[in-house]
Amino acid sequence: LVAGEASGNVNEGDIRRIQIRETINSHFDKEEKLFEQGIKCLSLFFIDEVAKYRDYSQPDEKGEYARIFEEEYNLYLNEMLDLDETAYVKYLKGITAEKTHSGYFSIDPSITKTGENKGLSDDVDAYDLILKKKEQLLSLEEPVRFIFSHSALREGWDNPNVFVICFLKHPDYNNEVTRRQEVGRGLRLSVNKHGDRMDHPSIVHDVNVLTVVASESYKDFV
């Protein structure tokens, strides 16, 4: 095969799975180095439909992306757990796939858990953690490391420790400003667990590196 060719049927679901897999791989690679420096590593997924992540018609409320994430995360995690018992591997053992991802959507935190809104209390908890409790989110004791967002731009959300951004959405080909704003969610100097900004000249360019996982439609923008 040469670049741009595919063998067999390749649908959008396959592409999204590969993107999620690559995001997880990149996250682990960065996190292992950052962990030693006391820096919490976060990865951000931009999605175009809330139902792809949180499906209220399902008993466990998991959407397609949530299921794919947990499958791929566990595959990679099992490889990591076969390695020597370092402090980082012990850290990973204490976090389940189900607990390490959360969704952030533009919702009204006053929503009650009745009728059509049944199940949304979990959304409110996630909303508060991601939007309001930045210090908790940046703590290594907090298991959430992967965030699925439908509305990070609309809410003006950003976090200094986003090291990987994945675009699981159809791009807005004509809106370069939006693309710049989306990438900008990961273009901030990170902080360690003590709240110290990682801006020392000797390390600033080694620590603060953003990886973007996108489809080939991003070629012209890049």
Side-chain angles (χ1 to χ4, degrees), residues 2 25 34 38 49 58 70 83 92 101 158 162 180 206 215:
V2 299
N25 290 355
L34 295 169
E49 247 185 288
Q58 299 297 320
E70 291 184 8
L83 302 177
L92 293 178
H101 66 97
D158 66 340
V162 172
R180 287 178 180 274
D206 295 324
S215 65

Side-chain angles (χ1 to χ4, degrees), residues 51-172:
K52 291 274 184 69
Y53 175 72
R54 188 162 286 143
D55 186 350
Y56 295 109
S57 67
Q58 299 297 320
D60 58 6
E61 298 182 353
K62 290 178 186 174
E64 175 189 355
Y65 292 160
R67 295 183 194 284
I68 291 174
F69 172 84
E70 291 184 8
E71 290 168 8
E72 294 295 333
Y73 181 88
N74 281 324
L75 285 173
Y76 201 89
L77 180 65
N78 289 338
E79 291 181 21
M80 294 294 295
L81 297 185
D82 287 338
L83 302 177
D84 295 336
E85 181 93 345
T86 62
Y88 176 58
V89 171
K90 287 175 71 175
Y91 167 72
L92 293 178
K93 284 183 176 179
I95 303 174
T96 64
E98 197 169 31
K99 294 290 187 185
T100 203
H101 66 97
S102 190
Y104 158 55
F105 313 113
S106 181
I107 60 165
D108 178 2
S110 65
I111 288 173
T112 57
K113 194 177 182 181
T114 58
E116 293 180 2
N117 297 323
K118 184 182 178 186
L120 284 186
S121 63
D122 289 343
D123 292 11
V124 175
D125 292 342
Y127 183 93
D128 286 345
L129 171 67
I130 296 166
L131 190 69
K132 300 177 180 177
K133 300 177 181 176
K134 190 171 289 188
E135 286 186 10
Q136 181 181 335
L137 186 59
L138 289 178
S139 165
L140 289 168
E141 280 72 47
E142 169 56 54
V144 172
R145 293 137 71 217
F146 297 86
I147 297 165
F148 288 77
S149 175
H150 179 258
S151 46
L153 289 187
R154 184 165 49 200
E155 296 291 342
W157 181 83
D158 66 340
N159 191 291
N161 285 27
V162 172
F163 287 93
V164 189
I165 294 179
C166 178
F167 291 95
L168 298 175
K169 52 178 275 192
H170 295 289
D172 184 351

